[in-house]
Amino acid sequence: MKDYELPLDIEEVAFSHIPVLSREVVEGLAVLPNGHYLDATVGGGGHSRLILESAPDVRLTAVDQDEDALAAAKKELAVFEKRVQFIHGNFAVCEFPQNTFNGILADLGVSSHHLDTPERGFSFRREARLDMRMDRRQSLTAADVINDWDEVELANIFFKYGEERLSRRIARRIVEKRPFQTTTELATAIASSVPAKYRHGRIHPATRVFQALRIAVNDELKVLETFITKAPNALVPGGRIAIISFHSLEDRIVKHGLRDSPLLNVLTKKPITAQEEEITNNPRARSAKLRIAERKRLATLY
Ligand SMILES: C[S@@+](CC[C@H](N)C(=O)[O-])C[C@H]1O[C@@H](n2cnc3c(N)ncnc32)[C@H](O)[C@@H]1O
């Protein structure tokens, strides 16, 4: 079988301890001694560690909706003891205290832990039940979406969240062939539903559908919108928010959300992207876009 190029935001390393755009994040947040920071996507704790190390007596609140990530972060950050507080939850649902944080970071997407653990069902390369939940307390799984949603709904999410041009054709084939139990059964059906030239293209033909499914299962775009609306209130005046996104759908929400917030001044006219050297060491950095904004100092809120 052809060794397909791996899709950027699905298959590449994410939960490694090589945090993406780390220098740019730490500089962009302008971390202060005694500052209190929120890492809304602590993952393996890579960025959090850097924030905690970049000034004396920094405190950090670390959030992740995946309990495995949180367990890994607890180990990674144990040395900071009581300076770190952990919260298991979705960043869109957490009620963050107002006027509290000197900086907030969100490094969006899945972790390599998700991808490297076949039973989580994120990867079409490994046989597993169709799951894809970042938070396993939630009931909706990828199997529910694939087996229960109607053809039009499936075509719509493949098109909207996967930017898949063959969305209708793939949705029709899935509906004909379902139910599906596993990631690999689904990937094979998708591959067989597309023209041969697509099957031998640069990326595996299931790439976009898997991205779309993941976004749908975790409602990723909606939670990002909610987070960007709520998070600025949690900053102190002059506090900064930094968000790293990995595909254009997310970046659009970040760009508009920061710009349209009455509480924020955007500091990055254009998104910050990784230097060649970082991309060589960490291929996931290739698609990363970092945008930063600062809470207005004068309370011109209304
Ligand atoms: C790319 S990883 C973060 C890596 C981290 N910055 C590091 O340096 O190790 C993204 C993490 O965000 C978590 N996540 C994604 N969406 C979330 C949400 N809505 N609420 C809370 N955590 C979320 C995922 O579970 C994953 O662990």
Side-chain angles (χ1 to χ4, degrees):
M1 183 176 153
K2 178 173 172 172
D3 191 15
Y4 291 104
E5 181 176 312
L6 304 178
L8 287 177
D9 54 342
I10 300 184
E11 298 284 342
E12 288 184 354
V13 183
F15 198 40
S16 67
H17 295 287
I18 317 178
V20 168
L21 293 168
S22 54
R23 182 180 52 77
E24 292 83 351
V25 165
V26 170
E27 281 177 17
L29 287 174
V31 179
L32 299 171
N34 288 306
H36 188 182
Y37 291 81
L38 169 67
D39 186 345
T41 53
V42 68
H47 284 110
S48 283
R49 168 178 278 280
L50 293 169
I51 291 169
L52 284 153
E53 284 172 349
S54 61
D57 303 319
V58 170
R59 284 169 302 136
L60 184 116
T61 299
V63 174
D64 207 292
Q65 63 177 335
D66 177 6
E67 56 193 341
D68 293 349
L70 219 53
K74 280 182 183 164
K75 263 196 193 160
E76 173 69 13
L77 304 174
V79 57
F80 299 101
E81 299 177 342
K82 292 206 165 74
R83 284 162 59 192
V84 189
Q85 191 209 344
F86 294 92
I87 300 176
H88 181 204
N90 190 311
F91 57 50
V93 177
C94 291
E95 289 302 334
F96 299 117
Q98 306 216 339
N99 294 302
T100 300
F101 299 109
N102 300 93
I104 296 177
L105 171 67
D107 173 20
L108 303 170
V110 283
S111 63
S112 69
H113 176 79
H114 292 138
L115 301 168
D116 295 343
T117 311
E119 62 268 26
R120 301 298 295 266
F122 284 99
S123 172
F124 51 76
R125 300 177 141 254
R126 312 223 173 104
E127 180 159 17
R129 285 172 43 163
L130 284 160
D131 190 327
M132 297 198 187
R133 291 168 300 168
M134 287 193 214
D135 186 340
R136 281 176 289 176
R137 296 171 300 185
Q138 131 182 351
S139 70
L140 183 76
T141 64
D144 297 330
V145 174
I146 281 296
N147 294 323
D148 299 342
W149 290 18
D150 72 33
E151 188 178 321
V152 174
E153 282 178 299
L154 289 179
N156 284 346
I157 61 161
F158 299 161
F159 185 70
K160 200 166 145 207
Y161 298 157
E163 301 181 287
E164 173 56 73
R165 284 184 299 116
L166 301 175
S167 54
R168 286 170 200 272
R169 179 177 178 145
I170 295 172
R172 197 177 323 125
R173 175 61 64 97
I174 286 173
V175 168
E176 279 165 16
K177 294 216 154 180
R178 66 190 186 187
F180 291 94
Q181 308 297 333
T182 66
T183 46
T184 42
E185 276 173 23
L186 178 63
T188 307
I190 295 167
S192 73
S193 71
V194 301
K197 78 169 191 312
Y198 215 69
R199 273 201 295 279
H200 304 296
R202 200 174 59 85
I203 61 169
H204 188 289
T207 303
R208 296 176 196 282
V209 169
F210 270 62
Q211 171 174 305
L213 269 177
R214 193 198 89 200
I215 292 175
V217 168
N218 297 290
D219 206 7
E220 288 178 37
L221 303 185
K222 183 91 152 293
V223 297
L224 179 57
E225 275 169 15
T226 307
F227 174 70
I228 294 181
T229 311
K230 287 167 65 171
N233 283 300
L235 286 170
V236 297
R240 292 186 175 187
I241 179 163
I243 305 184
I244 305 173
S245 64
F246 292 89
H247 56 74
S248 56
L249 300 168
E250 282 174 346
D251 183 53
R252 207 170 305 141
I253 293 171
V254 176
K255 179 179 168 181
H256 294 135
L258 297 182
R259 192 188 61 194
D260 296 344
S261 167
L263 299 183
L264 298 176
N265 285 324
V266 174
L267 302 180
T268 45
K269 271 214 177 92
K270 293 216 163 123
I272 297 170
T273 54
Q275 308 279 320
E276 273 311 312
E277 194 189 336
E278 178 174 0
I279 296 171
T280 309
N281 293 330
N282 184 7
R284 179 174 179 259
R286 193 179 344 145
S287 51
K289 289 199 165 92
L290 167 66
R291 293 186 187 269
I292 303 169
E294 184 174 270
R295 182 159 179 180
K296 292 175 182 168
R297 285 166 197 273
L298 291 173
T300 49
L301 310 186
Y302 301 104

